Amino acid sequence: MAIKVYKKGDEQKVATNFRAREFDCQGKGCCNTTLVDERLVEYLQKIRDHFGKPVYLTAYRCKTHNARTPNAAPNSYHVYGRAADFHINGVAPAEIAKYAESIGVKGIGLYDSFVHIDTRESKSFWYGHGQQLRTTFGGAPKVEETKKEAYSLGKFVLDVQKACGVAQLDGKAGPVTLSRTVTLSARKNRTHAAVKAVQKRLFALGYTEVGEADGTAGAKFTSAVAHFQQDNGCKVDGEVTAGNKTWMKLLGMI
Ligand SMILES: [Zn+2]
Ligand SMILES: [Zn+2]
């Protein structure tokens, strides 16, 4: 996959139902070229095929136009030709977001009248201009459901008890288990058996951006913990702190 460069206004087809000019920057007099990520085109064509209707999009934004666009992030994926905002007449944006999730799109923003997708590598889902984080739009691939079954709460609690040196290994969390829990934080880049257990549990709960269970608290760990905290009404700091509410929620105590 690569980022392709086209002349603005190029009628060349980039996929069955898309021409290069459809990805052009919408600014006036700001640029002459258009960047288009091939993977983005692939996603859009799949979406086009699935719903069987035209996709109306804005995609590339040159830096000049991006700087003039209200609410645009300076480092927006649009600036690199890696994002598109689009709608399909007669299809609810929520349905599009759900389908995009099911085909493996990692960056999805659901808005009232359109959907943003981009080609980032690690998952970030959000809703609206306030960018409220979302775990899923309901289109998680089936394989993740299987993994959910495979790492139950009981197994997780047992692994935490082992990792944290709890004497009574019963797979049922209580005050004793909680008092032995440790702080897991990317700030300290902590490697710990408990990190591995939390990674596996977060993945099983659908926070798949946590990635491989390698036992090291890194950026993906922080991001997945933050999403979990957001969804569960905990303080959002991306850290699992000894004995706190995030631990209690993870351990199924509350
Ligand atoms: Zn431009
Ligand atoms: Zn966008």
Side-chain angles (χ1 to χ4, degrees):
M1 289 292 146
I3 311 285
K4 291 279 181 78
V5 183
Y6 298 94
K7 262 194 187 152
K8 205 168 184 176
D10 194 336
E11 291 285 345
Q12 186 181 152
K13 274 196 171 184
V14 295
T16 311
N17 296 102
F18 294 94
R19 293 180 189 277
R21 65 165 167 73
E22 293 179 73
F23 294 80
D24 285 354
C25 174
Q26 300 296 302
K28 299 272 180 270
C30 48
C31 57
N32 300 310
T33 52
T34 300
L35 304 185
V36 182
D37 185 349
E38 289 179 305
R39 177 162 287 146
L40 181 67
V41 176
E42 195 177 89
Y43 288 152
L44 288 167
Q45 183 64 49
K46 271 191 189 170
I47 290 165
R48 170 71 177 76
D49 290 343
H50 178 77
F51 292 104
K53 288 178 166 187
V55 170
Y56 299 99
L57 65 127
T58 64
Y60 176 60
R61 271 184 224 140
C62 71
K63 286 208 168 100
T64 306
H65 179 53
N66 193 63
R68 291 177 193 150
T69 305
N71 302 320
N75 256 330
S76 163
Y77 280 82
H78 289 281
V79 173
Y80 304 97
R82 297 180 60 189
D85 299 333
F86 63 98
H87 72 275
I88 299 172
N89 287 339
V91 179
E95 280 304 305
I96 300 173
K98 181 178 172 181
Y99 178 69
E101 179 178 356
S102 77
I103 60 170
V105 180
K106 297 286 201 299
I108 305 175
L110 172 62
Y111 297 84
D112 290 337
S113 60
F114 69 96
V115 175
H116 161 111
I117 62 167
D118 60 58
T119 62
R120 74 187 68 200
E121 299 289 336
S122 59
K123 183 173 138 181
S124 182
F125 292 172
W126 68 91
Y127 172 72
H129 293 284
Q131 306 229 321
Q132 301 162 33
L133 297 179
R134 286 282 186 276
T135 307
T136 176
F137 292 114
K142 291 261 186 297
V143 58
E144 286 162 15
E145 289 298 313
T146 319
K147 294 196 177 176
K148 186 183 287 189
E149 300 295 310
Y151 198 60
S152 66
L153 178 63
K155 269 189 190 169
F156 166 66
V157 173
L158 191 61
D159 283 347
V160 169
Q161 289 174 331
K162 284 179 192 164
C164 297
V166 177
Q168 192 184 351
L169 300 173
D170 59 3
K172 288 178 198 137
V176 176
T177 300
L178 192 67
S179 71
R180 296 301 304 260
T181 56
V182 293
T183 296
L184 310 175
S185 149
R187 267 186 310 139
K188 300 170 184 167
N189 198 23
R190 179 156 196 165
T191 301
H192 195 281
V195 172
K196 190 168 182 172
V198 170
Q199 286 170 324
K200 284 163 75 176
R201 185 64 185 153
L202 287 173
F203 193 98
L205 290 171
Y207 299 86
T208 52
E209 81 262 38
V210 75
E212 283 293 302
D214 60 3
T216 300
K220 288 179 181 175
F221 178 82
T222 302
S223 160
V225 170
H227 285 176
F228 176 85
Q229 290 172 325
Q230 178 109 20
D231 292 346
N232 287 279
C234 304
K235 184 184 164 211
V236 180
D237 58 7
E239 298 186 2
V240 181
T241 308
N244 76 350
K245 189 175 173 186
T246 303
W247 261 123
M248 290 175 82
K249 282 278 183 186
L250 281 168
L251 292 168
M253 293 171 65
I254 50 174

